[in-house]
Amino acid sequence: MSIQINNFQPSYVSTEALAKSDCSEKLNYHKDTLVKYAFNTTDQNGNKIMDKLSHAETMELMNHVSRQYGDNVLVQFSGDALDILQNDVKGQYSMLNEEAIRQMEEKAARLAEFVKPAQELWMRIGNIRTDVKFQESLKGMDNHIAQAAFSIIKTDLLPHDIGNMTEQQRQDLISFGMEKARYLAGKMGDKGALFLEAMEEVAKYGMSGKTDSAGKVTYNIQWGPPPGWPDDHVNTSELMQEVSPDQWKIYQDMSRRAQRTGDIELSRKANRFFWDWEKWAYQHRSKEVNEIKSRYTVWQQELSKITVKKFDNIDRTDTDSLLDSVIRQNTSLDSDFLQKNMERFEAAMNRDYEE
């Protein structure tokens, strides 16, 4: 008693106009009409109307209905007949309202990419949630504050070459970097707490780094889901890069050409290419989707076990007092090394920038 694909009209609910969003304006892609259908197994009196749709039936129905409308129409499905599809994606990446999903993901991605912390200065960490916190905390700050923050990350938390430094020294260097971060946070007003939250996450990324015999350090920092999304949400861009790198290159080339030339039709074509691939991936590459989900979950679990050592009773009156406090407690790092390290930090804070 499943619904016949050519007899979906009784399930029609309504049609409404869609307002343009900031995201659709930036993407040069907008759907102006929303058509809603609800496929319920029973009527309002509880009498059975139809069986629950299978995943295959749902996908076929979605494609069939969507083809009845032009490019500017979004078709949304709901109802208890769709439970199998909603359970399949746990309601987290349902294609039943792809425009809303796309707007949220693009908004988060653009925030991470385009929100610059202090005018032209900008640095990406590699995890979208940490990036957003870090950049938002530095937004509006003077350039010397941003540059000092970058120097802590590059020099102390995520250095890529530590020479002949031991693992204990590397970890103590991360702790020293966090003391400098706390000092800097004291100069950031109400943004200081968010800044420290981001830096503590970066410090954990640093602690989990792996050093080879030549002193080169690599870090496993995963991009992850945007802010506000469930932890097991899979970023489609990440999925495409991993599963279909050739398709990713095609999409990137199309998007860049559209942005460079202002070609609206090409922009629409690029986004349709992206969405069609997304639907294909969730139908045919569920193994890879689940692997990415599992990998991110395990990564988070491992990070939660990491504790960054804190020095006791640090005097943060000024950088000299902070340095003296650390030198008295530190046992692995040479005091001359720490002095030179602090001098570089001070230079970053005091450097003049052209506006």
Side-chain angles (χ1 to χ4, degrees):
M1 210 158 79
S2 294
I3 191 170
Q4 294 298 311
I5 297 302
N6 294 321
N7 187 29
F8 52 79
Q9 194 58 34
S11 297
Y12 169 81
V13 175
S14 65
T15 299
E16 60 187 65
L18 291 173
K20 283 190 176 182
S21 66
D22 291 341
C23 180
S24 63
E25 291 282 3
K26 291 176 181 177
L27 292 174
N28 290 323
Y29 190 90
H30 174 60
K31 295 196 175 187
D32 55 27
T33 306
L34 174 65
V35 180
K36 295 183 179 180
Y37 289 86
F39 298 96
N40 296 304
T41 57
T42 60
D43 61 21
Q44 58 185 1
N45 297 318
N47 300 313
K48 185 172 182 179
I49 301 173
M50 58 179 289
D51 297 328
K52 287 186 177 182
L53 295 177
S54 68
H55 184 281
E57 288 173 326
T58 301
M59 297 307 299
E60 183 180 356
L61 181 61
M62 290 170 65
N63 291 333
H64 184 81
V65 176
S66 297
R67 284 194 297 268
Q68 308 305 306
Y69 304 93
D71 290 339
N72 293 334
V73 175
L74 174 68
V75 181
Q76 179 176 316
F77 299 87
S78 64
D80 51 7
L82 298 177
D83 284 349
I84 190 168
L85 178 62
Q86 292 173 324
N87 289 335
D88 184 50
V89 295
K90 300 180 181 179
Q92 297 162 7
Y93 213 97
S94 171
M95 289 171 282
L96 307 183
N97 193 347
E98 63 178 281
E99 179 72 2
I101 289 172
R102 181 57 48 219
Q103 288 184 11
M104 289 178 67
E105 186 169 20
E106 289 292 344
K107 180 179 179 181
R110 286 180 179 279
L111 180 61
E113 183 175 0
F114 296 121
V115 173
K116 293 182 170 50
Q119 297 159 22
E120 77 278 3
L121 299 182
W122 174 59
M123 181 179 186
R124 171 170 287 180
I125 307 301
N127 175 272
I128 187 171
R129 292 177 176 177
T130 303
D131 279 2
V132 169
K133 291 178 186 177
F134 179 62
Q135 295 180 36
E136 184 61 29
S137 72
L138 291 177
K139 185 179 180 182
M141 293 290 158
D142 291 339
N143 278 333
H144 71 274
I145 293 292
Q147 191 62 45
F150 301 160
S151 75
I152 293 172
I153 294 174
K154 294 176 181 177
T155 303
D156 308 322
L157 306 186
L158 299 177
H160 289 284
D161 189 343
I162 60 170
N164 59 1
M165 186 178 288
T166 67
E167 180 60 20
Q168 183 60 56
Q169 289 174 326
R170 189 180 76 86
Q171 293 187 15
D172 283 351
L173 179 61
I174 292 173
S175 296
F176 180 47
M178 282 306 303
E179 294 302 339
K180 291 193 293 184
R182 294 183 183 98
Y183 172 82
L184 192 61
K187 299 179 176 295
M188 297 174 63
D190 58 3
K191 291 289 190 74
L194 183 61
F195 172 71
L196 272 183
E197 185 178 337
M199 294 296 273
E200 285 167 358
E201 292 175 4
V202 178
K204 286 191 174 185
Y205 302 157
M207 292 283 287
S208 64
K210 304 299 181 183
T211 309
D212 65 18
S213 58
K216 307 295 183 183
V217 190
T218 56
Y219 302 96
N220 176 25
I221 305 176
Q222 298 193 23
W223 186 238
W229 283 83
D231 288 344
D232 61 354
H233 163 75
V234 176
N235 183 287
T236 304
S237 297
E238 178 184 5
L239 181 64
M240 185 184 286
Q241 290 177 69
E242 185 163 322
V243 173
S244 303
D246 291 342
Q247 299 296 296
W248 172 252
K249 185 177 185 303
I250 292 172
Y251 167 68
Q252 286 287 85
D253 289 345
M254 291 170 63
S255 298
R256 288 167 180 161
R257 287 203 316 273
Q259 185 175 23
R260 185 174 64 252
T261 62
D263 189 330
I264 295 177
E265 289 304 316
L266 183 58
S267 179
R268 289 176 175 172
K269 183 178 179 181
N271 282 285
R272 178 50 57 188
F273 178 88
F274 187 85
W275 293 340
D276 286 346
W277 184 91
E278 174 183 82
K279 292 177 182 179
W280 171 85
Y282 272 83
Q283 292 178 63
H284 302 288
R285 303 302 290 268
S286 59
K287 178 181 178 182
E288 286 84 350
V289 171
N290 291 328
E291 284 176 351
I292 291 178
K293 288 182 181 181
S294 176
R295 188 169 63 210
Y296 190 77
T297 299
V298 171
W299 180 70
Q300 284 192 311
Q301 291 172 345
E302 292 300 316
L303 286 176
S304 69
K305 301 174 185 177
I306 296 175
T307 301
V308 181
K309 184 184 76 175
K310 294 178 67 174
F311 294 106
D312 299 323
N313 302 318
I314 296 295
D315 183 353
R316 300 189 186 90
T317 303
D318 51 40
T319 55
D320 288 339
S321 299
L322 188 157
L323 179 61
D324 289 341
S325 297
V326 172
I327 288 176
R328 284 198 302 270
Q329 298 179 56
N330 171 70
T331 58
S332 70
L333 294 171
D334 181 79
S335 58
D336 288 340
F337 171 86
L338 291 174
Q339 178 67 51
K340 293 177 180 178
N341 181 294
M342 184 62 81
E343 288 173 357
R344 288 194 293 272
F345 177 63
E346 291 172 332
M349 287 195 297
N350 297 324
R351 179 181 170 185
D352 291 329
Y353 291 90
E354 294 183 2
E355 300 297 337

